[in-house]
Amino acid sequence: MKRILPFLLGVVVFISAVFWLLHRREARPAAPASSAAGAPAPLSSQPGAASGPLRFVDVTRAAGIDFTHNSGAYGKKYLPETLGSGVAFIDYNHSGYQSVLLLDGQDWPGHPTRLHGQTMRLYRNNGNGTFTDVTRQAGLAVPMYGMGAAVGDYLNNGNQDIFVTGLDGNRLFRNNGNGTFTDVTKQAGLDIDPGLATSAAWVDYDRDGCLDLWVDYYVRWSRKTDIYCTEDGVHKSYCTPEKYHGASPRLFHQIRSHGQCTGRFVDVTHAAGVYDPTSKSLGVSIFYDGYNGDGRPDIFVSNDTQPNKLFRNNGNGTFSEEAVSAGVAFSEDGVARGGMGTDVSDYNRSGRFSLVVGNFSNQMLGLYKNEGHGLFLDVAPSSDVGRASLLSLSFGTFFFDYNLDGRPDLFVANGHLDPAIREVQPRVHYAEKPLLFQNIGHGKFRNATADVGPQLGRRVVARGAAYGDYDLTGFPDILVSTNNGPAYLYYNTGNGNHALRIRTVGVKSNRDGIGTLIQLHTASGWQEQYVKSGSSYLSASELPVTFGLGSAAGADTIRLHWPSGEVQTLHNVAGGQFITVTEGVGITARQPLRRCNNQGMACKP
């Protein structure tokens, strides 16, 4: 018997391993033979060659960005005043450099010092570490109470367009290709009934080559229906979302005709099965390759005080909601939290994309590890991520490899809603420190906020957040908005590690290649990322994808899984460059990354 038991145990382990490999092979194409059965090498083997301490430096004013968000608050305590606005990186003029878009609110009618002319702001990247405000000449000086932004080339003409969510109406700005934009909201069929829209994402959910549009809505609120809430029985306070009815997110399908994207959209919310008037949505992330490995884009929505929603794409134009069965609807103890920003990443290099959700103070982040077979497990309560974020109210959040060691790290922008919160909770602040979690391998993170200098760790009332390599050094920089306060641009001084940046150009797929899964292999194993829209909170990070290579000189294999189904393989691609990969063609452009000083203002190849 003692000899039989080990043998039987070995048989069980072998059968389990075979089953797992077969499941992975069905989920996505196998990796090259140089990686055993496609499994990634242990993260501990990832090389790194830091030459000095990496820092995030506040270069906002030096870069020429002068912006202060206006919530319109003047004592009326209107709910939208607490939400702030988003930020976006966009290469709108084909310069190869990421420009900056900042969304703004407005004074309310009746405001005693009502300001005129406050609009969103577009700052053109000059290519030398500085920016110029080109809002008016670009045609974007449009008054609106702006909330969020999504960037994508919905017409497949090579120009990145802007969709802006807001109160009392959203706007679609078509990029004219000459540095200007035109408001085409009505022509596009997006002049729908107004509401309080928040985050948005472009997604080709039916993979017909034309981008469709997902839009979150928070609650049913207007100045006429505003509720008078009070904490002391006399003075008005901001109402919690429980006081208001929810509002369904909306899905807009782009009409395709004669093989072309028409730029006209139809509301398919009901027909697609995603209508949900109980939702109070603030964030959206797309599992572009399917959270369960079926290859179809699925949609996750973070809700405030309501269960999160996970819409599985059925492949026939409809979705099924599976958040509860997947384990992402609630906290570990079954409570609906204050879901804010969200993002997805294969942070543990398992070949499966996991999920992060920002929540209210005293709730901690949700870090939902993808266990496979459509199941997630919230590992935050047992990790540094949960402990460090317990007292924070987390809005913008995203995965990015800030130190280019090949492991996706995590950034969280925090800020409370109540300026007087310390009077009732002394340990909770109104202005809060951001959190930067370094991925140390084996699925673990450590709080590295104090390691990157004092400027990133300053207390702010943060809301939107995005990443983008604005000076083409390969190291991603951070853009943050604050509520009723300034925006901040944090320059990444970098270290000795190497990067490879990839821009995708679709042919059969949508032009931006949104939804493309890119797998990259070096001696240390496999990494994978999506080209994605959405994620974070009210914000849009850059569309090009940056891979950290550590000390590796380049990638021996890159594999692109396009939304059209085409799989494209590249071999022996050097790092230290920004390449453009065109679907079905290969590398069609190369640009060397730059070497900069520690202020991000004087770069050279």
Side-chain angles (χ1 to χ4, degrees):
M1 180 63 72
K2 290 182 179 180
R3 294 181 178 180
I4 294 175
L5 286 177
F7 173 78
L8 292 177
L9 180 60
V11 171
V12 171
V13 171
F14 174 79
I15 293 174
S16 298
V18 170
F19 176 82
W20 182 86
L21 288 172
L22 289 174
H23 173 76
R24 293 288 293 139
R25 182 165 295 181
E26 292 173 355
R28 79 171 37 102
S34 58
S35 175
L43 283 172
S44 58
S45 67
Q46 176 67 29
S51 60
L54 183 151
R55 295 286 185 266
F56 280 97
V57 180
D58 180 0
V59 296
T60 314
R61 291 301 178 93
I65 296 176
D66 181 13
F67 174 86
T68 300
H69 173 256
N70 174 33
S71 71
Y74 73 109
K76 294 292 186 179
K77 302 286 186 178
Y78 290 143
L79 180 64
E81 297 169 0
T82 66
L83 299 178
S85 66
V87 299
F89 282 107
I90 176 173
D91 181 11
Y92 75 98
N93 57 356
H94 308 284
S95 67
Y97 290 92
Q98 297 295 318
S99 295
V100 165
L101 181 71
L102 302 172
L103 281 300
D104 203 1
Q106 279 193 313
D107 285 333
W108 303 108
H111 193 296
T113 58
R114 183 169 171 80
L115 300 175
H116 297 279
Q118 277 199 284
T119 69
M120 73 186 83
R121 302 273 283 279
L122 177 65
Y123 288 90
R124 184 190 65 219
N125 192 324
N126 299 322
N128 62 357
T130 68
F131 296 79
T132 299
D133 187 342
V134 295
T135 310
R136 291 196 174 279
Q137 49 265 53
L140 294 176
V142 178
M144 66 178 295
Y145 199 105
M147 299 296 293
V151 174
D153 178 6
Y154 74 95
L155 287 172
N156 285 347
N157 61 10
N159 302 317
Q160 290 186 359
D161 310 293
I162 303 171
F163 180 77
V164 178
T165 66
L167 178 65
D168 295 332
N170 307 316
R171 302 291 183 95
L172 177 62
F173 295 97
R174 185 190 65 215
N175 188 332
N176 300 318
N178 59 1
T180 68
F181 293 81
T182 299
D183 186 343
V184 294
T185 311
K186 185 174 183 179
Q187 299 96 300
L190 295 173
D191 55 333
I192 60 171
D193 294 336
L196 180 49
T198 53
S199 293
W202 295 102
V203 53
D204 183 7
Y205 74 92
D206 57 352
R207 295 182 294 184
D208 65 352
C210 298
L211 288 176
D212 310 302
L213 184 62
W214 179 277
V215 184
D216 280 348
Y217 283 82
Y218 189 35
V219 296
R220 289 163 55 188
W221 182 92
S222 69
R223 287 192 303 121
K224 292 182 179 180
T225 61
D226 181 64
I227 299 173
Y228 192 99
C229 295
T230 178
E231 294 179 354
D232 60 8
V234 179
H235 300 94
K236 188 180 181 185
S237 62
Y238 288 112
C239 294
T240 63
E242 289 97 333
K243 297 292 184 181
Y244 291 96
H245 294 290
S248 178
R250 297 194 182 193
L251 178 61
F252 297 93
H253 179 253
Q254 184 175 179
I255 300 171
R256 181 181 172 95
S257 179
H258 303 292
Q260 301 296 318
C261 305
T262 64
R264 299 191 305 274
F265 294 81
V266 58
D267 188 340
V268 295
T269 307
H270 287 275
V274 296
Y275 179 72
D276 177 22
T278 68
S279 281
K280 299 175 181 180
S281 305
L282 290 173
V284 56
S285 285
I286 313 296
F287 289 89
Y288 287 97
D289 195 37
Y291 76 89
N292 54 0
D294 64 9
R296 296 189 288 264
D298 304 318
I299 301 172
F300 173 82
V301 176
S302 55
N303 283 323
D304 189 1
T305 71
Q306 291 292 311
N308 301 320
K309 299 298 168 67
L310 180 58
F311 295 99
R312 178 175 59 81
N313 192 327
N314 298 321
N316 60 0
T318 68
F319 294 79
S320 298
E321 205 286 298
E322 297 184 345
V324 172
S325 60
V328 298
F330 303 103
S331 66
E332 186 183 42
D333 52 1
V335 175
R337 294 183 282 191
M340 312 292 180
T342 177
D343 196 11
V344 298
S345 173
D346 181 13
Y347 74 87
N348 58 357
R349 290 170 74 174
S350 64
R352 299 183 293 268
F353 282 75
S354 298
L355 175 71
V356 66
V357 181
N359 292 308
F360 209 79
S361 54
N362 298 303
Q363 294 181 340
M364 75 175 57
L365 287 170
L367 182 59
Y368 297 96
K369 178 186 173 187
N370 191 331
E371 298 287 323
H373 308 290
L375 299 175
F376 295 78
L377 176 66
D378 188 357
V379 298
S382 59
S383 72
D384 284 350
V385 169
R387 288 186 288 270
S389 64
L390 178 60
L391 299 180
S392 298
L393 202 168
S394 302
F395 281 91
T397 182
F398 52 76
F399 291 99
F400 73 144
D401 186 1
Y402 78 90
N403 56 6
L404 301 184
D405 66 356
R407 306 180 185 117
D409 309 298
L410 178 60
F411 177 79
V412 187
N414 303 308
H416 211 275
L417 305 178
D418 184 359
I421 186 62
R422 294 196 70 191
E423 296 178 9
V424 292
Q425 297 186 52
R427 298 178 61 199
V428 178
H429 295 260
Y430 178 54
E432 300 178 344
K433 293 182 178 181
L435 291 169
L436 180 67
F437 294 102
Q438 180 189 2
N439 188 332
I440 58 175
H442 307 290
K444 304 294 184 182
F445 293 87
R446 59 176 289 270
N447 186 355
T449 313
D451 298 346
V452 296
Q455 297 183 13
L456 184 69
R458 292 178 305 201
R459 294 187 184 276
V460 295
V461 187
R463 294 295 186 263
Y467 62 85
D469 178 15
Y470 77 88
D471 56 354
L472 286 184
T473 64
F475 287 89
D477 311 295
I478 298 175
L479 184 64
V480 176
S481 69
T482 65
N483 195 39
N484 233 25
Y488 293 97
L489 177 63
Y490 296 102
Y491 167 67
N492 186 337
T493 64
N495 56 25
N497 288 337
H498 301 156
L500 179 63
R501 285 172 54 79
I502 302 174
R503 173 177 175 256
T504 51
V505 176
V507 177
K508 291 182 290 184
S509 304
N510 67 86
R511 180 64 176 264
D512 285 325
I514 290 175
T516 302
L517 174 69
I518 306 178
Q519 298 171 312
L520 178 145
H521 187 265
T522 66
S524 65
W526 286 95
Q527 303 178 50
E528 56 183 2
Q529 296 187 51
Y530 296 123
V531 180
K532 63 185 180 184
S533 172
S535 298
S536 192
Y537 171 75
L538 306 178
S539 299
S541 294
E542 64 176 355
L543 287 176
V545 171
T546 297
F547 283 94
L549 303 179
S551 61
D556 54 63
T557 304
I558 300 174
R559 186 165 284 176
L560 297 94
H561 304 265
W562 296 87
S564 65
E566 179 164 338
V567 180
Q568 192 169 2
T569 304
L570 309 173
H571 296 288
N572 301 319
V573 181
Q577 60 176 335
F578 183 12
I579 64 173
T580 298
V581 180
T582 300
E583 182 179 14
V585 179
I587 298 175
T588 52
R590 301 175 187 263
Q591 184 175 5
L593 298 179
R594 313 175 88 186
R595 302 170 70 92
C596 295
N597 65 22
N598 283 347
Q599 296 299 319
M601 305 303 296
C603 301
K604 59 182 179 181

